[in-house]
Amino acid sequence: MQLTPLHLQGGRELRGEIAVQGSKNAALPIIVASLLSAEKITLRGVPRLSDVHTILELLAHLGTQHVWVGANDLELHTPRILNTDAPYALVSKMRASFIVLGAILARAGQATVSMPGGCAWGPRPVDQHVKALRALGAEITEDGGNFTAVRQSSLSGRFIFELLTVGGTHNAILASVLGDGVVTLENASIDTDVVELIEFLNRMGADIQGAGTNTLTIRGVMALRGGEYTVIPDRIEAGTFMMLAAATRSCLTLTNVRSDHLRAVTGKLQEMGVSVMDSGQTMVVDARERALKPVNITTQSYPGFPTDLQPQMSALLATVPGTSVVQDPVYPDRLTHVAELHRMGANITVSGYTQVIQGGQLHAAPVKAADLRAGAALFIAALTCEGETVIDGVQYLNRGYECLVERLRGVGATVAQPDLALAMD
Ligand code: EPU
């Protein structure tokens, strides 16, 4: 869906409270994990985002019935798997959907899933997903851009990931939960979204030990039951609004946060001179009347500084006098925001995955988001400067930020979106 651009008038202080939504990247794998149970599952705190609708469309094809039973409460039921294939038209819309491979394989014994391809900021390989499932006993063939996985018996054995991968760990867990095998995953991701998936699965009757450590032991169980689960707050959304507060030299109160998931972000903002006060579930980020200092950032897997906040941090640092260096080795090509920030007067020099940022005053300009977090960087930048910035590519923002216009208005931002739906892609 193509949406009409956002018109933002910046340059004024924001104030008030923003309630952070449930985590997109925790909700997506949990929704996929619901495929493993034949009973009803109710998820609370599910953000109503286009990525969630995309995964629900794919699950409907596989046999899942879903119904929204509250604003953010979702009931899922997969009495049986109707199709074991995830076609390109559905998988290509969202790379995260590749983890249905493990879930369908576990429940139905075989699965065919299209290769997800890259995204606006470069290749996003799935070699670790495939190597893990193979090492655990699945036969995987690749033909014309489709992966077909078949298992003769329950997955079992040991796999050591060659690098930390959130999606790869999700896929291997999902594939291993059902049956009578024992699986050990080493160098597994300790990301909050992996811990959440494990907590959800264990709540439904799975036997997974080691959540939050690099070694996971999964003992297969015969079936998972249904039940209820509440999705954790979105740390990337919270981080985005923290950077918005800092960039606009404002004070914002964020509710429904897990401050323990944001330590790397809080630490960097404090190093810059931003005041961050937290009481666990509420954070007050205050950058009023402060002369912020430049900082250097290198992204890492959790608990390091997240790549999903790199573009927003670059936008913030583009407003801070002095030289900052931002490096994103996790996704070296995640740089689509840079050319757009240049239009707004940012002084950013790129070499490989390194941005050298000389901060100063930005100015309004017409810009275009090419992906979700680049879009977030642009609305942060837009709200720092006088005049009207028009942001195109709004459909990307709808992948990750629920009711963004209303929530920005709620803290005093001047944001308009003249006509919502313009045309279909
Ligand atoms: N990688 C490989 N081979 C693999 C898998 C990953 O080389 O088989 C590499 C990637 O190229 C990357 C690194 O490993 O350099 C980490 O990738 P990871 O697999 O952890 O990423 P992901 O699971 O595909 C999730 C989030 C992304 C987020 C990354 C990193 C979801 C739906 N997506 O992706 O979120 O950037 O982890 O934290 O959970 C976003 O929300 O904007 C977003 C893109």
Side-chain angles (χ1 to χ4, degrees), residues 49-105:
L49 299 167
S50 60
D51 274 10
V52 169
H53 297 300
T54 300
I55 204 80
L56 290 174
E57 204 183 332
L58 174 53
L59 260 64
H61 169 79
L62 301 173
T64 307
Q65 300 143 18
H66 78 264
V67 53
W68 290 94
V69 291
N72 294 99
D73 299 338
L74 180 64
E75 198 176 87
L76 298 153
H77 189 203
T78 315
R80 60 193 185 91
I81 300 287
L82 299 179
N83 293 296
T84 58
D85 69 306
Y88 180 71
L90 295 173
V91 176
S92 62
K93 283 192 190 173
M94 190 179 64
R95 188 186 179 283
S97 52
F98 191 66
I99 60 169
V100 295
L101 184 71
I104 311 170
L105 178 68

Side-chain angles (χ1 to χ4, degrees), residues 24-26 28-29 95-96 121 123-130 163-168 170 191 193 235-236 301 307-308 329-332 334 372-373:
K24 165 179 87 78
N25 289 348
L28 292 171
R95 188 186 179 283
W121 34 270
R124 297 182 63 188
V126 289
D127 58 299
Q128 295 301 305
H129 301 231
V130 173
L163 46 77
L164 291 176
T165 156
V166 179
H170 282 151
D191 195 280
D193 302 332
R235 68 189 166 95
I236 304 303
S301 49
T307 172
D308 290 346
V330 177
Y331 284 121
R334 195 172 207 169
L372 166 60
R373 307 302 173 189

Side-chain angles (χ1 to χ4, degrees), residues 230-273:
T230 302
V231 176
I232 46 166
D234 195 313
R235 68 189 166 95
I236 304 303
E237 196 192 71
T240 301
F241 291 132
M242 290 168 81
M243 281 159 208
L244 175 66
T248 56
R249 310 300 192 264
S250 301
C251 179
L252 291 178
T253 300
L254 306 182
T255 60
N256 188 38
V257 287
R258 280 280 302 263
S259 61
D260 56 325
H261 291 169
L262 283 156
R263 291 207 177 101
V265 178
T266 300
K268 274 296 163 189
L269 289 178
Q270 286 171 334
E271 191 183 327
M272 291 173 69

Side-chain angles (χ1 to χ4, degrees), residues 121-125 163-164 296-302 304-311 314 325-335 337 350-355:
W121 34 270
R124 297 182 63 188
L163 46 77
L164 291 176
N296 298 337
I297 305 269
T298 301
T299 64
Q300 287 176 317
S301 49
Y302 185 83
F305 192 92
T307 172
D308 290 346
L309 288 171
Q310 175 269 114
S314 301
V325 178
V326 174
Q327 299 190 297
D328 192 351
V330 177
Y331 284 121
D333 299 317
R334 195 172 207 169
L335 292 163
H337 56 289
V350 173
S351 166
Y353 59 63
T354 302
Q355 299 167 65

Side-chain angles (χ1 to χ4, degrees), residues 7 101 157 208 214 248 255 325 333 348 357 365 403 406 412:
H7 294 243
L101 184 71
I208 307 169
N214 293 117
T248 56
T255 60
V325 178
D333 299 317
I348 305 177
I357 303 173
C403 301
E406 292 75 9

Side-chain angles (χ1 to χ4, degrees), residues 173-191:
I173 293 172
L174 291 167
S176 308
V177 161
L178 296 178
D180 56 10
V182 179
V183 163
T184 305
L185 301 175
E186 291 190 50
N187 201 26
S189 164
I190 60 165
D191 195 280

